Amino acid sequence: MTTARRLPPLCSIAAICALGGSALLMTGCSGTSTGSSVAEAAAASPTSTASPSPSKSLTQDQTERRDLWSKTKVTWDKAAGTAVKEVSGGKLVAIELKGVSHNAKSSPTGTPTAATPNPAPAAGAPEWQAKVASADGTVHWVEVDAANGKVFRSQAEPDQDADDRRKIADRLAKATQTPAQAVKTATDKTKGQVSAVSLDENDKKLVWSVDVVSPDHDYTKTTYDIDAAKGTVVREHTDHD
């Protein structure tokens, strides 16, 4: 660490003279010379760096993204890999970085169970919420602590019927592009952190929707819809809110 350059001492009061029964306070320096010395020293010091110019205030959404990412240690792909392993023959349908809800539950006694293998993080802490489907299309929701990468809750979707399962299985069969390939297509166009990946439909076209958050640009979010069969970009939208 470079030692800061010593500034020249301020001029002291030159003298106090008594004249005709009144005191005259005299100083031997002026504000101009002192300001000049400080400016010169700051400019010459190798450790002095200009503060970034203040940017516009972040919106509520941008602030929430910033706060979540400041506490996130696990990337989307690591969390997705962990979530998929929780379901036999599982495939990723969607994953999103979110704040833990206030009603997140772990086992009340702290004893691990199949559904809650680890205690839930505090409300508002970052989690990866993953949607994973088994081979027959049965959906499981798997929640992964975004700070330590541990699953803290896993459960099957309770309200799925046969048609829902068939639809999910059919989508996954048609998605020849993997989530990782879709993410690469998106991040090749916009550098940033992936906050969500999901298999969706856009105008009856099957797509991987990928959200990319850019910390260097006020945490704006850009969403890319990637053709799940061809790997081409079919839609791009930047959310400045």
Short mmCIF file of all heavy atoms in Angstrom, two decimals, residues 48-75:
data_model
loop_
_atom_site.label_atom_id
_atom_site.label_comp_id
_atom_site.label_asym_id
_atom_site.label_seq_id
_atom_site.Cartn_x
_atom_site.Cartn_y
_atom_site.Cartn_z
N SER A 48 -4.50 8.16 -4.67
CA SER A 48 -5.76 8.88 -4.76
C SER A 48 -6.45 8.53 -6.06
O SER A 48 -5.87 8.65 -7.13
CB SER A 48 -5.52 10.40 -4.70
OG SER A 48 -4.76 10.83 -5.80
N THR A 49 -7.67 8.03 -5.98
CA THR A 49 -8.45 7.68 -7.17
C THR A 49 -9.75 8.45 -7.15
O THR A 49 -10.36 8.65 -6.11
CB THR A 49 -8.77 6.17 -7.19
OG1 THR A 49 -9.44 5.83 -5.99
CG2 THR A 49 -7.49 5.35 -7.31
N ALA A 50 -10.14 8.88 -8.30
CA ALA A 50 -11.37 9.66 -8.39
C ALA A 50 -12.56 8.78 -8.09
O ALA A 50 -12.64 7.63 -8.53
CB ALA A 50 -11.51 10.26 -9.80
N SER A 51 -13.49 9.28 -7.32
CA SER A 51 -14.70 8.54 -7.04
C SER A 51 -15.55 8.50 -8.29
O SER A 51 -15.57 9.45 -9.06
CB SER A 51 -15.49 9.21 -5.91
OG SER A 51 -14.72 9.26 -4.74
N PRO A 52 -16.23 7.35 -8.53
CA PRO A 52 -17.08 7.29 -9.72
C PRO A 52 -18.17 8.35 -9.64
O PRO A 52 -18.67 8.66 -8.57
CB PRO A 52 -17.68 5.87 -9.65
CG PRO A 52 -17.53 5.47 -8.22
CD PRO A 52 -16.30 6.16 -7.73
N SER A 53 -18.48 8.89 -10.78
CA SER A 53 -19.50 9.92 -10.80
C SER A 53 -20.81 9.32 -10.35
O SER A 53 -21.15 8.19 -10.69
CB SER A 53 -19.66 10.49 -12.22
OG SER A 53 -19.97 9.45 -13.10
N PRO A 54 -21.56 10.04 -9.53
CA PRO A 54 -22.82 9.47 -9.02
C PRO A 54 -23.77 9.16 -10.16
O PRO A 54 -23.96 9.97 -11.06
CB PRO A 54 -23.37 10.59 -8.13
CG PRO A 54 -22.69 11.84 -8.59
CD PRO A 54 -21.35 11.42 -9.09
N SER A 55 -24.33 7.95 -10.15
CA SER A 55 -25.26 7.56 -11.20
C SER A 55 -26.68 7.86 -10.73
O SER A 55 -26.91 8.22 -9.59
CB SER A 55 -25.11 6.06 -11.51
OG SER A 55 -25.36 5.30 -10.36
N LYS A 56 -27.60 7.68 -11.65
CA LYS A 56 -28.98 7.91 -11.29
C LYS A 56 -29.40 6.90 -10.22
O LYS A 56 -28.82 5.82 -10.10
CB LYS A 56 -29.86 7.77 -12.52
CG LYS A 56 -29.84 6.36 -13.12
CD LYS A 56 -30.72 6.27 -14.34
CE LYS A 56 -30.73 4.85 -14.90
NZ LYS A 56 -31.57 4.73 -16.09
N SER A 57 -30.40 7.24 -9.47
CA SER A 57 -30.85 6.35 -8.41
C SER A 57 -31.39 5.06 -9.00
O SER A 57 -32.03 5.05 -10.06
CB SER A 57 -31.96 7.03 -7.60
OG SER A 57 -31.46 8.20 -6.97
N LEU A 58 -31.11 3.94 -8.32
CA LEU A 58 -31.61 2.66 -8.78
C LEU A 58 -33.10 2.56 -8.52
O LEU A 58 -33.61 3.08 -7.53
CB LEU A 58 -30.88 1.53 -8.05
CG LEU A 58 -29.37 1.41 -8.25
CD1 LEU A 58 -28.84 0.20 -7.49
CD2 LEU A 58 -29.01 1.30 -9.72
N THR A 59 -33.79 1.87 -9.40
CA THR A 59 -35.21 1.61 -9.18
C THR A 59 -35.35 0.53 -8.11
O THR A 59 -34.37 -0.09 -7.69
CB THR A 59 -35.89 1.14 -10.47
OG1 THR A 59 -35.34 -0.15 -10.82
CG2 THR A 59 -35.66 2.11 -11.61
N GLN A 60 -36.56 0.28 -7.67
CA GLN A 60 -36.78 -0.75 -6.66
C GLN A 60 -36.34 -2.11 -7.16
O GLN A 60 -35.69 -2.88 -6.44
CB GLN A 60 -38.26 -0.79 -6.26
CG GLN A 60 -38.56 -1.83 -5.17
CD GLN A 60 -40.02 -1.83 -4.75
OE1 GLN A 60 -40.77 -0.92 -5.07
NE2 GLN A 60 -40.42 -2.85 -4.04
N ASP A 61 -36.68 -2.44 -8.42
CA ASP A 61 -36.28 -3.74 -8.98
C ASP A 61 -34.77 -3.85 -9.07
O ASP A 61 -34.19 -4.91 -8.77
CB ASP A 61 -36.90 -3.93 -10.37
CG ASP A 61 -38.39 -4.21 -10.30
OD1 ASP A 61 -38.89 -4.51 -9.20
OD2 ASP A 61 -39.06 -4.13 -11.35
N GLN A 62 -34.10 -2.78 -9.52
CA GLN A 62 -32.65 -2.80 -9.63
C GLN A 62 -31.99 -2.96 -8.26
O GLN A 62 -31.01 -3.69 -8.11
CB GLN A 62 -32.16 -1.52 -10.31
CG GLN A 62 -32.53 -1.45 -11.79
CD GLN A 62 -32.29 -0.06 -12.37
OE1 GLN A 62 -32.28 0.94 -11.65
NE2 GLN A 62 -32.13 0.00 -13.68
N THR A 63 -32.55 -2.29 -7.27
CA THR A 63 -32.02 -2.39 -5.91
C THR A 63 -32.17 -3.81 -5.38
O THR A 63 -31.25 -4.36 -4.75
CB THR A 63 -32.75 -1.41 -4.97
OG1 THR A 63 -32.54 -0.08 -5.44
CG2 THR A 63 -32.21 -1.52 -3.55
N GLU A 64 -33.32 -4.43 -5.63
CA GLU A 64 -33.53 -5.81 -5.19
C GLU A 64 -32.55 -6.76 -5.87
O GLU A 64 -32.01 -7.68 -5.23
CB GLU A 64 -34.97 -6.23 -5.49
CG GLU A 64 -36.00 -5.54 -4.59
CD GLU A 64 -37.43 -5.88 -4.97
OE1 GLU A 64 -37.62 -6.59 -5.99
OE2 GLU A 64 -38.36 -5.45 -4.26
N ARG A 65 -32.31 -6.56 -7.15
CA ARG A 65 -31.35 -7.41 -7.85
C ARG A 65 -29.95 -7.24 -7.27
O ARG A 65 -29.23 -8.22 -7.04
CB ARG A 65 -31.33 -7.07 -9.35
CG ARG A 65 -32.59 -7.43 -10.09
CD ARG A 65 -32.52 -6.97 -11.53
NE ARG A 65 -33.86 -6.89 -12.12
CZ ARG A 65 -34.30 -5.90 -12.86
NH1 ARG A 65 -33.51 -4.88 -13.14
NH2 ARG A 65 -35.52 -5.91 -13.34
N ARG A 66 -29.57 -6.00 -7.03
CA ARG A 66 -28.25 -5.72 -6.45
C ARG A 66 -28.10 -6.40 -5.09
O ARG A 66 -27.09 -7.05 -4.82
CB ARG A 66 -28.05 -4.22 -6.29
CG ARG A 66 -26.69 -3.82 -5.71
CD ARG A 66 -26.72 -2.42 -5.17
NE ARG A 66 -27.68 -2.30 -4.07
CZ ARG A 66 -28.08 -1.14 -3.54
NH1 ARG A 66 -27.63 -0.01 -4.03
NH2 ARG A 66 -28.94 -1.13 -2.53
N ASP A 67 -29.12 -6.29 -4.24
CA ASP A 67 -29.05 -6.86 -2.90
C ASP A 67 -28.98 -8.38 -2.94
O ASP A 67 -28.25 -9.00 -2.16
CB ASP A 67 -30.25 -6.40 -2.07
CG ASP A 67 -30.21 -4.90 -1.76
OD1 ASP A 67 -29.13 -4.29 -1.97
OD2 ASP A 67 -31.24 -4.35 -1.33
N LEU A 68 -29.74 -8.99 -3.85
CA LEU A 68 -29.70 -10.44 -3.96
C LEU A 68 -28.32 -10.92 -4.43
O LEU A 68 -27.74 -11.85 -3.88
CB LEU A 68 -30.77 -10.94 -4.94
CG LEU A 68 -32.21 -11.03 -4.42
CD1 LEU A 68 -33.15 -11.46 -5.55
CD2 LEU A 68 -32.31 -12.02 -3.26
N TRP A 69 -27.78 -10.24 -5.45
CA TRP A 69 -26.50 -10.68 -5.99
C TRP A 69 -25.35 -10.44 -5.03
O TRP A 69 -24.35 -11.16 -5.05
CB TRP A 69 -26.23 -9.99 -7.34
CG TRP A 69 -26.93 -10.68 -8.46
CD1 TRP A 69 -27.98 -10.22 -9.19
CD2 TRP A 69 -26.65 -11.98 -8.97
NE1 TRP A 69 -28.37 -11.14 -10.12
CE2 TRP A 69 -27.57 -12.24 -10.02
CE3 TRP A 69 -25.70 -12.96 -8.66
CZ2 TRP A 69 -27.57 -13.43 -10.73
CZ3 TRP A 69 -25.71 -14.16 -9.37
CH2 TRP A 69 -26.63 -14.38 -10.40
N SER A 70 -25.48 -9.45 -4.15
CA SER A 70 -24.41 -9.19 -3.19
C SER A 70 -24.25 -10.35 -2.20
O SER A 70 -23.19 -10.51 -1.60
CB SER A 70 -24.68 -7.89 -2.43
OG SER A 70 -25.79 -8.03 -1.56
N LYS A 71 -25.30 -11.17 -2.04
CA LYS A 71 -25.26 -12.28 -1.09
C LYS A 71 -25.21 -13.64 -1.79
O LYS A 71 -25.15 -14.68 -1.13
CB LYS A 71 -26.49 -12.24 -0.19
CG LYS A 71 -26.64 -10.94 0.59
CD LYS A 71 -27.99 -10.88 1.29
CE LYS A 71 -28.22 -9.53 1.96
NZ LYS A 71 -29.59 -9.42 2.53
N THR A 72 -25.24 -13.64 -3.11
CA THR A 72 -25.27 -14.90 -3.87
C THR A 72 -23.86 -15.40 -4.15
O THR A 72 -23.03 -14.67 -4.69
CB THR A 72 -26.03 -14.70 -5.19
OG1 THR A 72 -27.40 -14.37 -4.89
CG2 THR A 72 -26.01 -15.96 -6.03
N LYS A 73 -23.60 -16.64 -3.78
CA LYS A 73 -22.29 -17.25 -3.98
C LYS A 73 -22.33 -18.41 -4.98
O LYS A 73 -21.30 -18.87 -5.46
CB LYS A 73 -21.73 -17.78 -2.65
CG LYS A 73 -21.72 -16.75 -1.51
CD LYS A 73 -20.85 -15.56 -1.82
CE LYS A 73 -20.85 -14.57 -0.66
NZ LYS A 73 -20.10 -13.32 -0.99
N VAL A 74 -23.54 -18.89 -5.28
CA VAL A 74 -23.70 -20.07 -6.12
C VAL A 74 -24.32 -19.65 -7.45
O VAL A 74 -25.35 -18.99 -7.48
CB VAL A 74 -24.61 -21.11 -5.43
CG1 VAL A 74 -24.79 -22.34 -6.30
CG2 VAL A 74 -24.03 -21.50 -4.07
N THR A 75 -23.68 -20.03 -8.55
CA THR A 75 -24.17 -19.67 -9.88
C THR A 75 -25.35 -20.55 -10.28
O THR A 75 -25.60 -21.61 -9.68
CB THR A 75 -23.06 -19.80 -10.93
OG1 THR A 75 -22.55 -21.15 -10.90
CG2 THR A 75 -21.93 -18.82 -10.64
#
